[in-house]
Amino acid sequence: MLTHINHYFCPEKLEQAIKLLEKGKGEFVPLAGGTSLLLYKNEKIKGFISLRKLKLDYIIKSKTGLKVGAMTKIEDILQHPVSRAFARGLLYKACEKIGSTLNRNLITVGGNMVQTYIWSDLPVALLVLETKVKTRKKRSTRSYPIHEFFKTHPKSWLGKDELVLEMEIKNPPKSVSCEFIKFSRTQVDRSLLDIAVYLDIKNNLFREVRIAYGGLKSLPFRAGELEIFLKNKKATPSTIMSCAQKAARLYPPSEDFRASKDYKENLVRVLTERALKNALLK
């Protein structure tokens, strides 16, 4: 619970926001959608810097891909005309599974990345799309491959004066098929498991494979061992079944009050097989 908030800023320029972050030295924090504020426990926080006037809410489609501003709300992505078709609907499906309509009208893309939780859905899809995350500090603009962005929790290594500006996603080749599955107890509940799959199959062989999971570890991750296992193998039901069994062995989930460890292990196997088969059918 935040009980020492004494300042609220609403800068209209990015440079002003960066200066306020630098001045605050960790006591002033960015305010995007605000859905995570109730979970804050840092009593050193003295003020919020609203990002709503910085013009970071945009979706730009180009010949090479998609650029999504950090203040773009999840619901805005769902309502945008390109989202259903982009990346074979992978981005749309991930956004559609995030919380309730009320949540989606508050949660921003940048906030969902920086405040990532074990149950976060969108980062899993962005991992297989090999998104680049653009940030800004006082003297420099940087672009991180998303796997580097999640090497540890973003809040632990992003500079105190550093803001996430944009996600850049390249167009997948036309030969690529994708799938995203979220498993939760109810439609709006936190996920027990997320899986995103990106496949490029030629001559019935897995030429490029990207698989990412959420809900198994504190951060989303790419399943590199599975990707290596499938590459250049025949795209057959037996290969997929072997991959799913391997996934359950390689990535043992933790037990919690929502489901036992055995249940989650079975879930990993079943959803891995289902996601790969669904992608093959597209």
Side-chain angles (χ1 to χ4, degrees):
M1 191 71 169
L2 299 175
T3 58
H4 298 88
I5 302 301
N6 299 312
H7 304 279
Y8 176 82
F9 307 96
C10 194
E12 296 185 0
K13 294 183 178 180
L14 184 60
E15 293 77 11
Q16 294 172 339
I18 299 294
K19 284 183 180 179
L20 285 167
L21 286 171
E22 187 179 29
K23 179 182 177 181
K25 297 180 179 178
E27 292 186 354
F28 300 160
V29 295
L31 173 60
T35 55
S36 297
L37 291 182
L38 290 176
L39 301 177
Y40 271 44
K41 296 180 180 180
N42 187 351
E43 294 298 330
K44 293 181 180 180
I45 295 175
K46 303 292 178 61
F48 295 129
I49 303 170
S50 173
L51 308 181
R52 64 186 180 88
K53 291 186 178 181
L54 299 185
K55 299 180 180 179
L56 295 175
D57 52 336
Y58 56 83
I59 300 172
I60 301 172
K61 180 72 172 70
S62 68
K63 292 181 179 180
T64 58
L66 204 64
K67 292 183 178 181
V68 183
M71 284 295 287
T72 304
K73 293 179 175 63
I74 300 301
E75 189 64 26
D76 292 338
I77 295 177
L78 292 176
Q79 298 301 325
H80 198 278
V82 307
S83 65
R84 283 184 180 270
F86 185 79
R88 312 299 178 264
L90 178 64
L91 186 63
Y92 183 92
K93 289 189 75 171
C95 289
E96 187 183 34
K97 300 298 183 182
I98 297 174
S100 64
T101 303
L102 177 61
N103 293 142
R104 293 192 295 271
N105 276 289
L106 291 172
I107 297 170
T108 63
V109 173
N112 200 242
M113 296 287 287
V114 176
Q115 302 286 352
T116 295
Y117 296 100
I118 189 172
W119 57 80
S120 296
D121 307 306
L122 182 59
V124 181
L126 295 179
L127 270 169
V128 298
L129 292 172
E130 296 192 340
T131 304
K132 289 188 176 180
V133 185
K134 184 178 177 182
T135 71
R136 173 76 178 272
K137 296 183 72 172
K138 182 180 179 180
R139 295 180 180 85
S140 63
T141 299
R142 297 193 284 182
S143 182
Y144 299 95
I146 193 167
H147 68 275
E148 289 185 13
F149 192 80
F150 287 122
K151 60 186 177 182
T152 56
H153 199 286
K155 286 182 67 178
S156 71
W157 64 266
L158 279 172
K160 292 179 180 179
D161 61 341
E162 190 169 11
L163 281 176
V164 172
L165 303 184
E166 179 183 275
M167 313 296 152
E168 184 177 359
I169 314 169
K170 287 187 177 180
N171 286 325
K174 292 182 179 180
S175 56
V176 164
S177 58
C178 302
E179 178 63 307
F180 179 88
I181 297 176
K182 171 183 176 176
F183 188 92
S184 58
R185 296 182 300 178
T186 68
Q187 185 174 350
V188 298
D189 194 17
R190 297 170 178 175
S191 64
L192 283 169
L193 180 66
D194 284 319
I195 178 170
V197 169
Y198 174 112
L199 302 178
D200 194 352
I201 297 174
K202 295 176 182 176
N203 300 321
N204 201 38
L205 296 175
F206 290 106
R207 292 304 189 189
E208 184 173 9
V209 181
R210 303 176 193 169
I211 301 172
Y213 291 101
L216 295 178
K217 300 179 181 180
S218 58
L219 291 171
F221 65 95
R222 283 274 294 270
E225 297 92 342
L226 298 185
E227 295 172 358
I228 293 170
F229 173 78
L230 285 177
K231 190 168 183 178
N232 294 324
K233 285 188 170 64
K234 288 186 177 181
T236 63
S238 61
T239 301
I240 290 173
M241 185 178 295
S242 297
C243 179
Q245 292 170 345
K246 190 177 185 68
R249 294 194 302 269
L250 285 173
Y251 311 118
S254 59
E255 186 173 7
D256 61 32
F257 70 94
R258 294 180 297 164
S260 68
K261 186 176 180 180
D262 288 343
Y263 181 88
K264 285 187 174 182
E265 284 180 356
N266 191 53
L267 197 60
V268 172
R269 179 184 59 78
V270 171
L271 293 192
T272 300
E273 183 176 4
R274 185 180 301 171
L276 289 168
K277 285 184 175 179
N278 288 354
L280 283 176
L281 294 173
K282 293 185 177 182

